[in-house]
Amino acid sequence: MLAAMPQEAEYLCQECGVRSSASSLTWSCPRCGGPWDLDFTAAPVPRAALAGRVNSLWRYEEALPLRDPYASLGEGRTPLVRLTESVSAKLDYLMPTLSFKDRGAVLLVELARRIGPDRVARVVADSSGNAGTAVAAYCARAGLDCVVYVPEATSPKKLEQIRAHGARLEVVPGDREATARAARAAADEPGAFYASHVYNPYFLHGTKTYVYELWEDLGGRLPDTLVVPVGNGTLLLGAALAVSELLAAGLVERRPALIAVQAGPVAPLARAYAAGAADAEPVPAAPTLAEGIAIPHPPRARQILRAVRETGGTFRTVTDEQIRAAQRDLARRGLFVEPTGVACWAAVTADPPRGETVVPLCGAGAKTGLAAGA
């Protein structure tokens, strides 16, 4: 049976105030075209009651817009491992599909499943690899047809993983932006549910569990600094959302500083931050080892910049050579992480933040292998 849709959750456009049902297949604001947010209020999570709950991200049920999932693969609750006296890494590559994208993908697919087969004929996703893999896996779990659009330069290992889950692959000539345009055109067809990790806010309510886990593992507090890789900003915005919810519930006393890390060759947000701009101008696509965060024109740029500034944080960029060195260094510490996933460690080793710091290791090295020259 399909679990009931949450009555309290509605899509909301923060830019122009338009609302839509959470069961709607409208994937963006019909007035301004911007991404949806979710009008949903999280209830306080009782930390003392967590010990007896399911050992996955679904243990934070008060904070989630969906409960009792069928599509779950046991995602979440990844280890926190100390790397230096002040820096710890959260091993988010230890997920069912080997990347942090599982946190958001499971909510998107569960939402599509609950909307029902009479309205959802297929799930459409676009990705440079990891998000598409995650959506494909959860669609396989939920019994939903899935089509994943990827750029032509996507890692062959990621393509193999997507195919293995039974999704249909559409390889798009050109870059990540061309892929997104092709997927959005397909998402406008009747019966398509666009499982967009950028436009659909349910994804952010999945990624926010990253911070809820830190809060639990650190005994009801948060570190001084959260360093987060940023392309489309889904992990950073999820983190900011969780911090706001924990503050509103009186479960933490302050916001950690958010340090956003971008790939040097494609860094529109870092450029906008340095210029004091409220929004980011598109930049040209360029080759970089950190393909997962090489987003020339992120749709949630205004939200990302605002979130970083509200915490007193900043932006940093890393070079391909720094990424190669960081991947080698982590591998020698026993952690094999893909190039995009080591960007935060590269930034931290180049310029260590003050105080207790956590970096995410977002994708497994098995997905890509060693970076050329590493």
Side-chain angles (χ1 to χ4, degrees):
M1 293 180 60
L2 295 179
M5 289 290 298
Q7 296 301 311
E8 70 275 15
E10 280 190 311
Y11 291 142
L12 169 66
C13 178
Q14 296 284 9
E15 296 299 321
C16 60
V18 169
R19 291 177 176 270
S20 179
S21 166
S23 62
S24 169
L25 298 183
T26 304
W27 56 265
S28 65
C29 175
R31 181 182 296 170
C32 71
W36 290 121
D37 286 297
L38 199 63
D39 188 6
F40 167 78
T41 301
V45 173
R47 188 164 62 90
L50 293 175
R53 293 189 178 182
V54 62
N55 194 35
S56 73
L57 63 82
W58 297 95
R59 68 202 277 110
Y60 311 111
E61 60 181 18
E62 292 85 357
L64 294 173
L66 298 173
R67 298 188 183 187
D68 303 317
Y70 175 84
S72 176
L73 293 168
E75 54 287 330
R77 299 296 293 143
T78 54
L80 187 64
V81 175
R82 187 170 294 279
L83 296 179
T84 71
E85 184 176 343
S86 61
V87 180
S88 296
K90 189 156 175 58
L91 310 191
D92 250 30
Y93 68 89
L94 297 180
M95 289 275 195
T97 76
L98 307 181
S99 91
F100 88 95
K101 296 290 176 63
D102 290 4
R103 292 186 184 276
V106 65
L107 267 80
L108 292 182
V109 172
E110 183 65 20
L111 176 62
R113 190 187 73 84
R114 295 186 190 199
I115 292 173
D118 57 327
R119 297 180 57 208
V120 176
R122 77 200 72 82
V123 173
V124 174
D126 61 292
S127 169
S128 59
N130 285 339
T133 298
V135 171
Y138 286 96
C139 281
R141 171 70 169 171
L144 299 174
D145 288 339
C146 180
V147 185
V148 180
Y149 289 75
V150 295
E152 58 187 347
T154 301
S155 161
K157 294 182 179 181
K158 293 180 180 178
L159 299 181
E160 182 180 7
Q161 193 177 6
I162 293 169
R163 287 193 184 98
H165 292 307
R168 187 172 87 243
L169 264 173
E170 295 287 348
V171 179
V172 179
D175 60 14
R176 184 67 182 82
E177 291 296 304
T179 302
R181 288 193 297 271
R184 291 195 291 265
D188 286 331
E189 296 175 2
F193 175 91
Y194 188 22
S196 173
H197 57 292
V198 182
Y199 281 85
N200 194 303
Y202 275 82
F203 196 92
L204 305 182
H205 283 266
T207 60
K208 76 182 181 184
T209 59
Y210 173 88
V211 166
Y212 275 93
E213 290 177 17
L214 290 177
W215 166 75
E216 181 183 359
D217 290 343
L218 294 175
R221 61 180 181 83
L222 293 174
D224 299 300
T225 305
L226 294 172
V227 185
V228 188
V230 174
N232 279 308
T234 55
L235 183 55
L236 183 141
L237 289 173
L241 178 60
V243 171
S244 293
E245 290 175 351
L246 289 166
L247 276 169
L251 297 173
V252 295
E253 296 180 352
R254 56 176 179 76
R255 296 181 188 271
L258 287 173
I259 295 181
V261 179
Q262 294 215 278
V266 186
L269 293 159
R271 180 182 297 183
Y273 177 84
D279 204 350
E281 294 294 325
V283 300
T288 172
L289 291 175
E291 61 180 7
I293 54 174
I295 307 298
H297 189 201
R300 293 187 184 269
R302 294 176 68 89
Q303 290 176 273
I304 296 164
L305 289 162
R306 186 164 57 244
V308 171
R309 288 179 172 129
E310 284 177 352
T311 71
T314 190
F315 279 80
R316 295 184 183 174
T317 60
V318 291
T319 66
D320 278 3
E321 186 50 46
Q322 288 174 312
I323 289 171
R324 290 189 187 94
Q327 189 185 36
R328 288 195 302 267
D329 179 64
L330 284 172
R332 289 166 184 163
R333 296 169 184 262
L335 305 170
F336 188 31
V337 184
E338 69 173 346
T340 298
V342 306
C344 291
W345 181 238
V348 163
T349 53
D351 186 8
R354 293 183 179 179
E356 184 180 21
T357 300
V358 173
V359 300
L361 304 183
C362 293
K367 286 174 168 281
T368 58
L370 280 172

